[in-house]
Amino acid sequence: MELQKINENVWELPETYKKGMKVKGNVYLNDELYEGLQKDVFEQIANVACLPGIQKYSLAMPDCHYGYGFCIGGVAAFDERTGVISPGGVGFDINCGVRLIKTNLFKKDVEDKAKLKELLNEIFVNVPSGLGSKGKIRLDNNQIDTVLEEGVEWAINEGYGLKGDLERIEENGRMKEADASFVSESAKKRGKPQLGSLGSGNHFLEIQYVDEIFNDETAKVYGVEKDQLMIMVHTGSRGLGHQICADYLRKMENATRKYNINIPDRQLACAPINSEEGEAYFKAMSCGANYAWANRQLITHWVREAFEKVFKTSYEDMDMEIVYDVAHNIAKKEKHIVDGKEKSVVVHRKGATRAFGPNHTEIPDIYKAVGQPVIIPGDMGTASYLLSGTDLAMEKTFGSTAHGAGRTLSRVKALKMYNSEDIQQKLEKEGILVMADSKGVIAEECPEAYKDIEAVADVCNNSGIALKVSRLKPLGVVKG
């Protein structure tokens, strides 16, 4: 049986779509996004629905596209007792995520392009970026282990930020299950020189302004107002996370055979959650997540320093507080209602954002009345969105929503089709300055290589799995 349209924003893969499916597949798309989607994504959604212990649905968010194992934008929850954990459901860039930082400055404060260029240049110098980029600090073996196990707490103890930053970060910037002894020396070797760097590809740092407010009450709770200057940081666990994933994919292939797990795609290699291999991967993945949060924390510190230098004011006086920091590629132990009962599950979010609704115990007290801030970045030169998590997301998607625009063109195709200098000049005419370590990345990451962020945000909002709060538009972009 083929895909069925349930309503204007949801499509369903019935369990009869593919032999072995244990649950239905639910895909969040409008007609525009459906028409532009590679159809092999549906096969990936169906494959995930075949895994042991999966609960309720195999899900795909509005920005979904083809990935390794799970589609990017894929979400699935597995019973903690009977289910499995799979690196293919997390991804190589563990805790690739987004942080939004607010200021009490406004668009008018950088209307002078020379001022904006000075600020962007200071950030470009202060925050290492580019393929293989190295951070400004050097870690020894003991220090890297502490970073992996303590995350943002390590960074703050070292003077990179304030204690108040912690509550505005998912998991308070630390997954306590992390154990550095489960991370290989090769992963640590890759991670040591890269902490505090942006990296390359779709990672970016943007100076933005609030273009439009959709919900005045929630925006006020988040501390957001029209024309306010904001900073968005998008990066992850760098080479360390990639190496952790590669290491455990090999181990999971052996575990799949050891436990006689029938999988429809070898990229979904997995192990029972409570097995030796499953627990080892979760501890190592948690280390990768902590590294990524510490990475974004160091970058936040250096962005604050750049603002201080350019505006000759302390970052505290500029109210440079974190609005929130969300993880994209991660597996989390959570409690959700399944068949009317609370159940302990491991939720895989592969290119998807947590979107917990109001009064959830795991979101900051300051946001409990309106739900968790959800950050959906656009691509270079387009808008990004700040949304709020909902009770409906808790019911329908295990508290999950989209994580970005989602690619439609490969980097190779984008490079062939577009010229970096033309893209840069076009954006400058639109009032957007771009600085990049490599000219090629500008073509690779051009707006035309991505889905329409407006359509993605509309589906999230109209389906109720996250509600629009404000739209942010870029003024300056730093790319790797």
Side-chain angles (χ1 to χ4, degrees), residues 32-46:
E32 174 193 344
L33 293 172
Y34 172 78
E35 289 301 324
L37 188 64
Q38 314 112 299
K39 298 305 179 267
D40 44 10
V41 169
F42 300 129
E43 191 69 15
Q44 290 195 307
I45 296 164

Side-chain angles (χ1 to χ4, degrees), residues 169-199:
I169 302 170
E170 191 174 326
E171 296 290 325
N172 299 123
R174 179 188 183 188
M175 290 184 72
K176 292 183 172 62
E177 297 91 343
D179 185 334
S181 68
F182 288 88
V183 177
S184 70
E185 288 305 314
S186 55
K188 292 175 186 178
K189 185 177 180 181
R190 292 182 70 178
K192 278 193 289 187
Q194 292 187 333
L195 188 65
S197 63
L198 195 63

